[in-house]
Each structure stands twice: as structure tokens, then as C-alpha cells.
Short mmCIF file of all heavy atoms in Angstrom, two decimals:
data_model
loop_
_atom_site.label_atom_id
_atom_site.label_comp_id
_atom_site.label_asym_id
_atom_site.label_seq_id
_atom_site.Cartn_x
_atom_site.Cartn_y
_atom_site.Cartn_z
N LYS A 72 85.32 214.95 179.89
CA LYS A 72 84.08 215.67 180.07
C LYS A 72 82.93 214.92 179.42
O LYS A 72 83.08 214.38 178.33
CB LYS A 72 84.17 217.06 179.46
CG LYS A 72 85.11 217.97 180.16
CD LYS A 72 85.12 219.32 179.48
CE LYS A 72 86.04 220.26 180.21
NZ LYS A 72 86.06 221.57 179.58
N LYS A 73 81.82 214.93 180.08
CA LYS A 73 80.64 214.27 179.54
C LYS A 73 79.75 215.31 178.85
O LYS A 73 79.38 216.31 179.45
CB LYS A 73 79.85 213.60 180.66
CG LYS A 73 78.64 212.87 180.19
CD LYS A 73 77.88 212.26 181.34
CE LYS A 73 76.60 211.64 180.84
NZ LYS A 73 75.77 211.15 181.92
N LYS A 74 79.45 215.08 177.60
CA LYS A 74 78.55 215.98 176.88
C LYS A 74 77.11 215.59 177.20
O LYS A 74 76.78 214.42 177.26
CB LYS A 74 78.78 215.90 175.38
CG LYS A 74 80.10 216.49 174.96
CD LYS A 74 80.19 216.54 173.46
CE LYS A 74 81.46 217.24 173.04
NZ LYS A 74 81.56 217.36 171.60
N TRP A 75 76.31 216.59 177.41
CA TRP A 75 74.90 216.35 177.70
C TRP A 75 74.17 216.03 176.41
O TRP A 75 74.31 216.73 175.43
CB TRP A 75 74.28 217.58 178.33
CG TRP A 75 74.63 217.75 179.76
CD1 TRP A 75 75.83 217.50 180.35
CD2 TRP A 75 73.77 218.21 180.79
NE1 TRP A 75 75.77 217.79 181.67
CE2 TRP A 75 74.51 218.24 181.97
CE3 TRP A 75 72.46 218.63 180.82
CZ2 TRP A 75 73.99 218.63 183.17
CZ3 TRP A 75 71.94 219.04 182.03
CH2 TRP A 75 72.69 219.03 183.18
N LYS A 76 73.42 215.00 176.47
CA LYS A 76 72.56 214.69 175.33
C LYS A 76 71.26 215.48 175.50
O LYS A 76 70.92 215.92 176.60
CB LYS A 76 72.27 213.20 175.28
CG LYS A 76 73.51 212.37 175.01
CD LYS A 76 73.17 210.90 174.97
CE LYS A 76 74.43 210.09 174.76
NZ LYS A 76 74.18 208.66 174.84
N ASN A 77 70.55 215.65 174.42
CA ASN A 77 69.33 216.44 174.43
C ASN A 77 68.33 215.91 175.46
O ASN A 77 67.70 216.67 176.18
CB ASN A 77 68.72 216.47 173.03
CG ASN A 77 67.66 217.52 172.88
OD1 ASN A 77 67.66 218.51 173.60
ND2 ASN A 77 66.77 217.32 171.95
N LYS A 78 68.19 214.59 175.55
CA LYS A 78 67.23 214.00 176.48
C LYS A 78 67.65 214.27 177.93
O LYS A 78 66.81 214.55 178.78
CB LYS A 78 67.13 212.50 176.22
CG LYS A 78 66.04 211.82 176.99
CD LYS A 78 65.91 210.37 176.58
CE LYS A 78 64.76 209.71 177.30
NZ LYS A 78 64.60 208.31 176.93
N GLU A 79 68.94 214.17 178.21
CA GLU A 79 69.42 214.44 179.57
C GLU A 79 69.21 215.90 179.95
O GLU A 79 68.86 216.20 181.09
CB GLU A 79 70.89 214.07 179.68
CG GLU A 79 71.17 212.58 179.58
CD GLU A 79 72.65 212.28 179.52
OE1 GLU A 79 73.44 213.19 179.21
OE2 GLU A 79 73.01 211.13 179.76
N MET A 80 69.41 216.79 178.99
CA MET A 80 69.22 218.22 179.25
C MET A 80 67.76 218.51 179.56
O MET A 80 67.46 219.24 180.51
CB MET A 80 69.67 219.04 178.03
CG MET A 80 69.60 220.50 178.26
SD MET A 80 70.93 221.06 179.29
CE MET A 80 71.77 222.07 178.13
N LYS A 81 66.85 217.93 178.79
CA LYS A 81 65.42 218.13 179.04
C LYS A 81 65.03 217.57 180.40
O LYS A 81 64.21 218.14 181.10
CB LYS A 81 64.59 217.48 177.95
CG LYS A 81 64.62 218.22 176.65
CD LYS A 81 63.75 217.54 175.62
CE LYS A 81 63.80 218.26 174.30
NZ LYS A 81 63.00 217.60 173.28
N HIS A 82 65.63 216.44 180.77
CA HIS A 82 65.34 215.82 182.06
C HIS A 82 65.72 216.76 183.21
O HIS A 82 65.07 216.78 184.25
CB HIS A 82 66.09 214.49 182.18
CG HIS A 82 65.83 213.76 183.46
ND1 HIS A 82 64.63 213.15 183.73
CD2 HIS A 82 66.60 213.56 184.55
CE1 HIS A 82 64.67 212.60 184.93
NE2 HIS A 82 65.87 212.84 185.44
N TYR A 83 66.75 217.56 183.02
CA TYR A 83 67.18 218.51 184.04
C TYR A 83 66.38 219.81 183.98
O TYR A 83 66.01 220.36 185.01
CB TYR A 83 68.67 218.83 183.85
CG TYR A 83 69.18 219.92 184.74
CD1 TYR A 83 69.41 219.68 186.09
CD2 TYR A 83 69.41 221.19 184.25
CE1 TYR A 83 69.86 220.69 186.93
CE2 TYR A 83 69.86 222.20 185.08
CZ TYR A 83 70.09 221.94 186.41
OH TYR A 83 70.52 222.94 187.23
N ILE A 84 66.10 220.30 182.78
CA ILE A 84 65.47 221.62 182.63
C ILE A 84 63.98 221.59 182.94
O ILE A 84 63.44 222.53 183.50
CB ILE A 84 65.72 222.17 181.21
CG1 ILE A 84 67.20 222.51 181.07
CG2 ILE A 84 64.87 223.39 180.92
CD1 ILE A 84 67.59 222.98 179.71
N ARG A 85 63.29 220.52 182.57
CA ARG A 85 61.83 220.47 182.77
C ARG A 85 61.41 220.71 184.21
O ARG A 85 60.54 221.54 184.46
CB ARG A 85 61.27 219.14 182.26
CG ARG A 85 61.17 219.09 180.78
CD ARG A 85 60.59 217.79 180.32
NE ARG A 85 60.49 217.78 178.87
CZ ARG A 85 59.99 216.78 178.19
NH1 ARG A 85 59.55 215.71 178.80
NH2 ARG A 85 59.94 216.85 176.88
N PRO A 86 61.97 220.02 185.19
CA PRO A 86 61.52 220.29 186.57
C PRO A 86 61.88 221.70 187.04
O PRO A 86 61.13 222.30 187.81
CB PRO A 86 62.23 219.23 187.41
CG PRO A 86 63.09 218.45 186.52
CD PRO A 86 62.88 218.89 185.13
N GLN A 87 63.02 222.22 186.58
CA GLN A 87 63.40 223.58 186.96
C GLN A 87 62.41 224.59 186.40
O GLN A 87 62.00 225.52 187.09
CB GLN A 87 64.82 223.90 186.46
CG GLN A 87 65.87 222.94 186.94
CD GLN A 87 66.01 222.89 188.44
OE1 GLN A 87 65.91 223.91 189.10
NE2 GLN A 87 66.22 221.71 188.98
N ALA A 88 62.03 224.40 185.13
CA ALA A 88 61.07 225.31 184.50
C ALA A 88 59.71 225.23 185.19
O ALA A 88 59.06 226.24 185.42
CB ALA A 88 60.94 224.99 183.02
N LEU A 89 59.29 224.02 185.53
CA LEU A 89 58.01 223.85 186.22
C LEU A 89 58.05 224.52 187.59
O LEU A 89 57.10 225.22 187.97
CB LEU A 89 57.68 222.36 186.36
CG LEU A 89 56.37 222.04 187.07
CD1 LEU A 89 55.19 222.63 186.31
CD2 LEU A 89 56.21 220.54 187.22
N LEU A 90 59.13 224.36 188.31
CA LEU A 90 59.26 224.98 189.63
C LEU A 90 59.20 226.51 189.52
O LEU A 90 58.50 227.16 190.29
CB LEU A 90 60.57 224.56 190.29
CG LEU A 90 60.87 225.20 191.64
CD1 LEU A 90 59.84 224.75 192.67
CD2 LEU A 90 62.26 224.87 192.08
N LEU A 91 59.91 227.07 188.55
CA LEU A 91 59.89 228.53 188.38
C LEU A 91 58.50 229.02 188.00
O LEU A 91 58.07 230.08 188.46
CB LEU A 91 60.91 228.94 187.32
CG LEU A 91 62.37 228.87 187.74
CD1 LEU A 91 63.27 229.04 186.54
CD2 LEU A 91 62.67 229.91 188.80
N THR A 92 57.80 228.26 187.18
CA THR A 92 56.44 228.65 186.78
C THR A 92 55.50 228.59 187.98
O THR A 92 54.65 229.48 188.15
CB THR A 92 55.94 227.74 185.64
OG1 THR A 92 56.89 227.80 184.56
CG2 THR A 92 54.59 228.17 185.14
N ILE A 93 55.65 227.60 188.81
CA ILE A 93 54.82 227.49 190.02
C ILE A 93 55.12 228.65 190.97
O ILE A 93 54.20 229.27 191.52
CB ILE A 93 55.05 226.14 190.72
CG1 ILE A 93 54.45 225.02 189.86
CG2 ILE A 93 54.46 226.12 192.12
CD1 ILE A 93 54.83 223.61 190.31
N VAL A 94 56.39 228.97 191.15
CA VAL A 94 56.75 230.09 192.02
C VAL A 94 56.16 231.39 191.48
O VAL A 94 55.63 232.21 192.24
CB VAL A 94 58.29 230.19 192.16
CG1 VAL A 94 58.71 231.50 192.78
CG2 VAL A 94 58.83 229.02 192.95
N GLY A 95 56.22 231.58 190.16
CA GLY A 95 55.62 232.77 189.56
C GLY A 95 54.12 232.81 189.77
O GLY A 95 53.55 233.87 190.06
N GLY A 96 53.46 231.66 189.66
CA GLY A 96 52.02 231.60 189.89
C GLY A 96 51.66 231.91 191.33
O GLY A 96 50.67 232.61 191.61
N ILE A 97 52.46 231.42 192.25
CA ILE A 97 52.21 231.70 193.66
C ILE A 97 52.41 233.19 193.95
O ILE A 97 51.65 233.80 194.70
CB ILE A 97 53.10 230.83 194.57
CG1 ILE A 97 52.64 229.37 194.47
CG2 ILE A 97 53.09 231.32 196.01
CD1 ILE A 97 53.57 228.38 195.13
N ASN A 98 53.41 233.79 193.31
CA ASN A 98 53.62 235.23 193.48
C ASN A 98 52.40 236.00 193.00
O ASN A 98 51.96 236.94 193.66
CB ASN A 98 54.88 235.68 192.72
CG ASN A 98 55.19 237.13 192.97
OD1 ASN A 98 55.30 237.56 194.11
ND2 ASN A 98 55.34 237.89 191.90
N TRP A 99 51.83 235.62 191.85
CA TRP A 99 50.63 236.29 191.34
C TRP A 99 49.45 236.09 192.29
O TRP A 99 48.66 237.01 192.52
CB TRP A 99 50.26 235.77 189.95
CG TRP A 99 51.04 236.43 188.87
CD1 TRP A 99 52.07 235.90 188.15
CD2 TRP A 99 50.87 237.76 188.39
NE1 TRP A 99 52.54 236.82 187.26
CE2 TRP A 99 51.81 237.98 187.38
CE3 TRP A 99 50.00 238.79 188.73
CZ2 TRP A 99 51.92 239.18 186.70
CZ3 TRP A 99 50.11 239.99 188.04
CH2 TRP A 99 51.05 240.17 187.04
N LEU A 100 49.31 234.90 192.86
CA LEU A 100 48.22 234.62 193.79
C LEU A 100 48.33 235.50 195.04
O LEU A 100 47.35 236.12 195.46
CB LEU A 100 48.23 233.15 194.19
CG LEU A 100 47.19 232.73 195.23
CD1 LEU A 100 45.78 232.85 194.66
CD2 LEU A 100 47.46 231.31 195.71
N VAL A 101 49.53 235.56 195.61
CA VAL A 101 49.73 236.39 196.80
C VAL A 101 49.51 237.86 196.47
O VAL A 101 48.93 238.60 197.27
CB VAL A 101 51.14 236.13 197.39
CG1 VAL A 101 51.46 237.11 198.50
CG2 VAL A 101 51.25 234.71 197.90
N LEU A 102 49.93 238.27 195.29
CA LEU A 102 49.71 239.66 194.88
C LEU A 102 48.22 239.97 194.76
O LEU A 102 47.76 241.00 195.23
CB LEU A 102 50.41 239.92 193.54
CG LEU A 102 50.29 241.34 192.98
CD1 LEU A 102 50.95 242.34 193.91
CD2 LEU A 102 50.89 241.40 191.60
N ALA A 103 47.47 239.05 194.17
CA ALA A 103 46.04 239.27 193.99
C ALA A 103 45.28 239.24 195.32
O ALA A 103 44.37 240.05 195.54
CB ALA A 103 45.46 238.23 193.04
N LEU A 104 45.63 238.33 196.21
CA LEU A 104 44.89 238.19 197.46
C LEU A 104 45.29 239.20 198.53
O LEU A 104 44.44 239.70 199.27
CB LEU A 104 45.07 236.77 198.01
CG LEU A 104 44.45 235.64 197.19
CD1 LEU A 104 44.77 234.30 197.84
CD2 LEU A 104 42.95 235.82 197.05
N PHE A 105 46.58 239.49 198.62
CA PHE A 105 47.07 240.29 199.74
C PHE A 105 47.79 241.56 199.31
O PHE A 105 48.31 242.29 200.16
CB PHE A 105 48.02 239.44 200.60
CG PHE A 105 47.41 238.15 201.06
CD1 PHE A 105 47.87 236.95 200.57
CD2 PHE A 105 46.38 238.15 201.97
CE1 PHE A 105 47.32 235.75 200.98
CE2 PHE A 105 45.81 236.96 202.39
CZ PHE A 105 46.28 235.76 201.90
N ASN A 106 47.88 241.79 198.01
CA ASN A 106 48.56 242.96 197.46
C ASN A 106 50.02 243.03 197.92
O ASN A 106 50.54 244.10 198.25
CB ASN A 106 47.82 244.25 197.81
CG ASN A 106 48.18 245.37 196.87
OD1 ASN A 106 48.54 245.13 195.73
ND2 ASN A 106 48.09 246.59 197.35
N ILE A 107 50.65 241.85 197.98
CA ILE A 107 52.06 241.75 198.35
C ILE A 107 52.79 241.06 197.20
O ILE A 107 52.48 239.91 196.86
CB ILE A 107 52.27 240.94 199.65
CG1 ILE A 107 51.57 241.61 200.81
CG2 ILE A 107 53.75 240.76 199.93
CD1 ILE A 107 51.54 240.76 202.07
N ASN A 108 53.75 241.74 196.62
CA ASN A 108 54.57 241.16 195.57
C ASN A 108 55.79 240.55 196.25
O ASN A 108 56.69 241.27 196.69
CB ASN A 108 54.97 242.23 194.55
CG ASN A 108 55.75 241.67 193.40
OD1 ASN A 108 56.35 240.62 193.49
ND2 ASN A 108 55.73 242.40 192.30
N LEU A 109 55.83 239.23 196.35
CA LEU A 109 56.90 238.57 197.09
C LEU A 109 58.28 238.82 196.50
O LEU A 109 59.24 239.02 197.23
CB LEU A 109 56.63 237.06 197.16
CG LEU A 109 55.42 236.65 197.98
CD1 LEU A 109 55.20 235.14 197.89
CD2 LEU A 109 55.57 237.07 199.42
N VAL A 110 58.38 238.80 195.17
CA VAL A 110 59.68 239.02 194.54
C VAL A 110 60.17 240.43 194.85
O VAL A 110 61.33 240.63 195.20
CB VAL A 110 59.61 238.76 193.02
CG1 VAL A 110 60.92 239.09 192.35
CG2 VAL A 110 59.22 237.32 192.74
N ASN A 111 59.28 241.40 194.74
CA ASN A 111 59.64 242.77 195.06
C ASN A 111 59.97 242.91 196.53
O ASN A 111 60.90 243.62 196.91
CB ASN A 111 58.50 243.72 194.67
CG ASN A 111 58.85 245.17 194.97
OD1 ASN A 111 58.62 245.64 196.07
ND2 ASN A 111 59.42 245.83 193.98
N TYR A 112 59.22 242.24 197.37
CA TYR A 112 59.44 242.31 198.81
C TYR A 112 60.82 241.75 199.18
O TYR A 112 61.52 242.30 200.03
CB TYR A 112 58.35 241.51 199.53
CG TYR A 112 58.45 241.54 201.03
CD1 TYR A 112 58.08 242.66 201.74
CD2 TYR A 112 58.91 240.43 201.72
CE1 TYR A 112 58.17 242.69 203.13
CE2 TYR A 112 59.00 240.44 203.09
CZ TYR A 112 58.64 241.57 203.80
OH TYR A 112 58.74 241.59 205.16
N ILE A 113 61.22 240.66 198.52
CA ILE A 113 62.50 240.02 198.84
C ILE A 113 63.68 240.73 198.17
O ILE A 113 64.70 240.98 198.81
CB ILE A 113 62.47 238.53 198.44
CG1 ILE A 113 61.44 237.78 199.28
CG2 ILE A 113 63.84 237.89 198.60
CD1 ILE A 113 61.13 236.38 198.81
N PHE A 114 63.55 241.05 196.88
CA PHE A 114 64.69 241.56 196.13
C PHE A 114 64.58 243.00 195.66
O PHE A 114 65.58 243.66 195.43
CB PHE A 114 64.93 240.70 194.88
CG PHE A 114 65.29 239.28 195.20
CD1 PHE A 114 64.36 238.27 195.02
CD2 PHE A 114 66.54 238.96 195.67
CE1 PHE A 114 64.69 236.97 195.30
CE2 PHE A 114 66.87 237.66 195.96
CZ PHE A 114 65.94 236.65 195.78
N GLY A 115 63.37 243.49 195.48
CA GLY A 115 63.18 244.76 194.81
C GLY A 115 63.69 245.97 195.55
O GLY A 115 64.13 246.94 194.95
N GLN A 116 63.63 245.94 196.86
CA GLN A 116 64.02 247.11 197.62
C GLN A 116 65.53 247.32 197.61
O GLN A 116 66.00 248.43 197.67
CB GLN A 116 63.48 247.00 199.03
CG GLN A 116 61.96 247.00 199.02
CD GLN A 116 61.36 246.56 200.34
OE1 GLN A 116 62.07 246.29 201.28
NE2 GLN A 116 60.05 246.50 200.40
N CYS A 117 66.27 246.24 197.52
CA CYS A 117 67.73 246.38 197.52
C CYS A 117 68.34 246.16 196.15
O CYS A 117 69.38 246.73 195.83
CB CYS A 117 68.37 245.43 198.52
SG CYS A 117 68.23 243.70 198.06
N CYS A 118 67.71 245.33 195.35
CA CYS A 118 68.31 244.92 194.07
C CYS A 118 67.26 244.86 192.97
O CYS A 118 66.81 243.77 192.58
CB CYS A 118 68.95 243.56 194.22
SG CYS A 118 70.04 243.39 195.63
N PRO A 119 66.84 246.00 192.43
CA PRO A 119 65.81 245.98 191.39
C PRO A 119 66.24 245.24 190.12
O PRO A 119 65.40 244.69 189.42
CB PRO A 119 65.53 247.45 191.11
CG PRO A 119 66.68 248.20 191.67
CD PRO A 119 67.26 247.35 192.77
N ASP A 120 67.54 245.19 189.85
CA ASP A 120 68.01 244.45 188.67
C ASP A 120 67.83 242.95 188.86
O ASP A 120 67.49 242.23 187.91
CB ASP A 120 69.48 244.76 188.38
CG ASP A 120 69.68 246.20 187.91
OD1 ASP A 120 68.71 246.79 187.37
OD2 ASP A 120 70.79 246.72 188.08
N ILE A 121 68.02 242.47 190.07
CA ILE A 121 67.79 241.05 190.35
C ILE A 121 66.31 240.74 190.25
O ILE A 121 65.92 239.69 189.72
CB ILE A 121 68.35 240.66 191.74
CG1 ILE A 121 69.88 240.76 191.72
CG2 ILE A 121 67.90 239.27 192.14
CD1 ILE A 121 70.54 240.50 193.05
N GLU A 122 65.48 241.64 190.73
CA GLU A 122 64.03 241.45 190.62
C GLU A 122 63.63 241.33 189.15
O GLU A 122 62.88 240.42 188.78
CB GLU A 122 63.29 242.62 191.27
CG GLU A 122 61.79 242.49 191.16
CD GLU A 122 61.05 243.73 191.64
OE1 GLU A 122 61.70 244.76 191.90
OE2 GLU A 122 59.82 243.66 191.75
N LYS A 123 64.13 242.21 188.33
CA LYS A 123 63.82 242.17 186.90
C LYS A 123 64.32 240.87 186.27
O LYS A 123 63.62 240.25 185.47
CB LYS A 123 64.43 243.38 186.19
CG LYS A 123 64.05 243.48 184.74
CD LYS A 123 64.60 244.76 184.14
CE LYS A 123 64.18 244.88 182.69
NZ LYS A 123 64.64 246.13 182.09
N ALA A 124 65.52 240.44 186.64
CA ALA A 124 66.07 239.19 186.11
C ALA A 124 65.21 237.99 186.50
O ALA A 124 65.00 237.08 185.70
CB ALA A 124 67.51 239.00 186.61
N ILE A 125 64.68 238.00 187.72
CA ILE A 125 63.82 236.91 188.17
C ILE A 125 62.55 236.87 187.33
O ILE A 125 62.12 235.80 186.90
CB ILE A 125 63.50 237.05 189.67
CG1 ILE A 125 64.75 236.76 190.48
CG2 ILE A 125 62.35 236.12 190.08
CD1 ILE A 125 64.63 237.08 191.94
N TYR A 126 61.96 238.02 187.06
CA TYR A 126 60.75 238.05 186.22
C TYR A 126 61.05 237.53 184.82
O TYR A 126 60.24 236.81 184.24
CB TYR A 126 60.18 239.46 186.15
CG TYR A 126 59.53 239.93 187.42
CD1 TYR A 126 59.86 241.15 187.98
CD2 TYR A 126 58.59 239.15 188.06
CE1 TYR A 126 59.27 241.59 189.15
CE2 TYR A 126 57.98 239.57 189.24
CZ TYR A 126 58.33 240.79 189.77
OH TYR A 126 57.74 241.21 190.93
N ILE A 127 62.19 237.87 184.28
CA ILE A 127 62.56 237.41 182.94
C ILE A 127 62.76 235.90 182.94
O ILE A 127 62.26 235.19 182.05
CB ILE A 127 63.82 238.14 182.45
CG1 ILE A 127 63.49 239.62 182.17
CG2 ILE A 127 64.40 237.47 181.20
CD1 ILE A 127 64.70 240.49 181.94
N ILE A 128 63.45 235.38 183.93
CA ILE A 128 63.70 233.94 184.00
C ILE A 128 62.39 233.17 184.17
O ILE A 128 62.16 232.15 183.51
CB ILE A 128 64.68 233.62 185.15
CG1 ILE A 128 66.07 234.17 184.80
CG2 ILE A 128 64.74 232.13 185.43
CD1 ILE A 128 67.03 234.18 185.97
N VAL A 129 61.51 233.66 185.03
CA VAL A 129 60.20 233.01 185.23
C VAL A 129 59.38 233.06 183.95
O VAL A 129 58.73 232.09 183.57
CB VAL A 129 59.44 233.65 186.41
CG1 VAL A 129 58.01 233.16 186.47
CG2 VAL A 129 60.16 233.35 187.72
N GLY A 130 59.44 234.18 183.24
CA GLY A 130 58.72 234.29 181.97
C GLY A 130 59.22 233.29 180.93
O GLY A 130 58.43 232.63 180.26
N PHE A 131 60.54 233.16 180.81
CA PHE A 131 61.09 232.17 179.87
C PHE A 131 60.74 230.75 180.29
O PHE A 131 60.48 229.89 179.46
CB PHE A 131 62.60 232.33 179.74
CG PHE A 131 63.02 233.43 178.81
CD1 PHE A 131 63.92 234.39 179.23
CD2 PHE A 131 62.51 233.53 177.52
CE1 PHE A 131 64.32 235.41 178.39
CE2 PHE A 131 62.90 234.54 176.67
CZ PHE A 131 63.80 235.49 177.10
N ALA A 132 60.72 230.50 181.60
CA ALA A 132 60.33 229.17 182.09
C ALA A 132 58.89 228.86 181.72
O ALA A 132 58.56 227.74 181.32
CB ALA A 132 60.52 229.08 183.61
N ALA A 133 58.01 229.85 181.82
CA ALA A 133 56.61 229.66 181.46
C ALA A 133 56.48 229.38 179.96
O ALA A 133 55.71 228.49 179.55
CB ALA A 133 55.79 230.88 181.84
N ILE A 134 57.23 230.11 179.14
CA ILE A 134 57.19 229.87 177.69
C ILE A 134 57.70 228.46 177.38
O ILE A 134 57.13 227.75 176.54
CB ILE A 134 58.01 230.94 176.95
CG1 ILE A 134 57.31 232.29 177.05
CG2 ILE A 134 58.24 230.55 175.49
CD1 ILE A 134 58.14 233.45 176.58
N TYR A 135 58.73 228.03 178.07
CA TYR A 135 59.26 226.67 177.87
C TYR A 135 58.20 225.64 178.26
O TYR A 135 58.00 224.65 177.55
CB TYR A 135 60.54 226.46 178.68
CG TYR A 135 61.12 225.09 178.51
CD1 TYR A 135 61.77 224.73 177.34
CD2 TYR A 135 61.01 224.14 179.51
CE1 TYR A 135 62.30 223.47 177.19
CE2 TYR A 135 61.53 222.88 179.37
CZ TYR A 135 62.18 222.55 178.20
OH TYR A 135 62.69 221.29 178.05
N CYS A 136 57.52 225.86 179.38
CA CYS A 136 56.47 224.92 179.81
C CYS A 136 55.33 224.86 178.79
O CYS A 136 54.79 223.80 178.53
CB CYS A 136 55.94 225.29 181.19
SG CYS A 136 57.08 224.92 182.53
N ILE A 137 55.00 226.00 178.21
CA ILE A 137 53.97 226.02 177.16
C ILE A 137 54.43 225.18 175.98
O ILE A 137 53.66 224.39 175.43
CB ILE A 137 53.66 227.47 176.71
CG1 ILE A 137 52.94 228.21 177.82
CG2 ILE A 137 52.84 227.49 175.42
CD1 ILE A 137 52.83 229.70 177.58
N SER A 138 55.69 225.33 175.61
CA SER A 138 56.20 224.58 174.44
C SER A 138 56.17 223.06 174.70
O SER A 138 56.07 222.29 173.75
CB SER A 138 57.61 225.04 174.09
OG SER A 138 58.55 224.57 175.02
N LEU A 139 56.27 222.67 175.94
CA LEU A 139 56.23 221.23 176.26
C LEU A 139 54.85 220.65 176.01
O LEU A 139 54.70 219.48 175.70
CB LEU A 139 56.61 220.99 177.71
CG LEU A 139 58.05 221.31 178.11
CD1 LEU A 139 58.21 221.12 179.59
CD2 LEU A 139 59.01 220.45 177.33
N HIS A 140 53.81 221.47 176.16
CA HIS A 140 52.44 220.98 176.06
C HIS A 140 51.78 221.27 174.72
O HIS A 140 50.64 220.88 174.52
CB HIS A 140 51.61 221.54 177.21
CG HIS A 140 52.12 221.07 178.54
ND1 HIS A 140 51.96 219.78 178.97
CD2 HIS A 140 52.81 221.71 179.51
CE1 HIS A 140 52.54 219.65 180.15
NE2 HIS A 140 53.06 220.80 180.51
N VAL A 141 52.47 221.96 173.84
CA VAL A 141 51.91 222.24 172.52
C VAL A 141 51.64 220.94 171.76
O VAL A 141 50.63 220.79 171.07
CB VAL A 141 52.83 223.19 171.72
CG1 VAL A 141 52.45 223.25 170.26
CG2 VAL A 141 52.81 224.57 172.34
N ALA A 142 52.53 219.98 171.93
CA ALA A 142 52.37 218.70 171.24
C ALA A 142 51.14 217.94 171.75
O ALA A 142 50.59 217.10 171.04
CB ALA A 142 53.62 217.86 171.42
N ASP A 143 50.71 218.22 172.97
CA ASP A 143 49.56 217.52 173.55
C ASP A 143 48.24 218.02 172.99
O ASP A 143 47.22 217.35 173.09
CB ASP A 143 49.54 217.68 175.09
CG ASP A 143 50.73 217.03 175.74
OD1 ASP A 143 51.34 216.13 175.11
OD2 ASP A 143 51.07 217.40 176.86
N CYS A 144 48.23 219.21 172.42
CA CYS A 144 46.99 219.82 171.94
C CYS A 144 46.61 219.29 170.57
O CYS A 144 47.36 218.93 169.77
CB CYS A 144 47.13 221.34 171.87
SG CYS A 144 47.34 222.05 173.50
#
């Protein structure tokens, strides 16, 4: 088994976190412009627990993205 080094893990997680943050931002944009919550539209009607999990994951991804840029300030 190959153990992941910290740098390799960041190389994998950073693009995933950025993608989730972008998806969350697009959801907010669509909600503001058209009053349509895409996550709720796709998952909320049948699986409210999955909808909640998606919001939590996107929130953690946004916090991770913020932590990446703290050093730049």
C-alpha cells in the first residue's frame, strides 16, 4: 500500500474543494436570480438528509479554500 504524503493529499483535495465551492456559488447565484435552489430541486424533495450533507460538505470545502488563501494575506 502506498501512503499518501501531505503534499499529494493537498494536490488531490484542493481541486475538489475548489469545485465544490464553485458549485455552491453557482447554486447561490441561481437562487438569487431565479429563486431556484438547485440542490433542493435535485435532492431535497426525495432525500433531505442528502441535501443537508451536500450543504455541509460545500461549507467545509469553502472553509478549506479560505485556509489556503490566509497565507496570501
Side-chain angles (χ1 to χ4, degrees):
K72 292 181 178 180
K73 181 182 175 186
K74 291 187 176 183
W75 282 39
K76 295 180 183 175
N77 194 25
K78 188 175 183 180
E79 292 173 342
M80 184 75 115
K81 287 181 181 179
H82 181 71
Y83 173 76
I84 292 176
R85 283 181 179 182
Q87 303 300 321
L89 180 61
L90 177 65
L91 286 169
T92 305
I93 290 170
V94 167
I97 291 171
N98 185 53
W99 277 106
L100 176 67
V101 171
L102 181 64
L104 293 178
F105 306 111
N106 201 28
I107 299 171
N108 184 337
L109 293 176
V110 176
N111 181 272
Y112 181 75
I113 295 169
F114 297 106
Q116 296 166 2
C117 68
C118 310
D120 292 335
I121 293 176
E122 179 187 9
K123 185 175 182 178
I125 290 170
Y126 288 130
I127 291 169
I128 292 168
V129 169
F131 280 128
I134 291 169
Y135 180 74
C136 287
I137 290 169
S138 74
L139 293 175
H140 297 288
V141 167
D143 295 339
C144 295

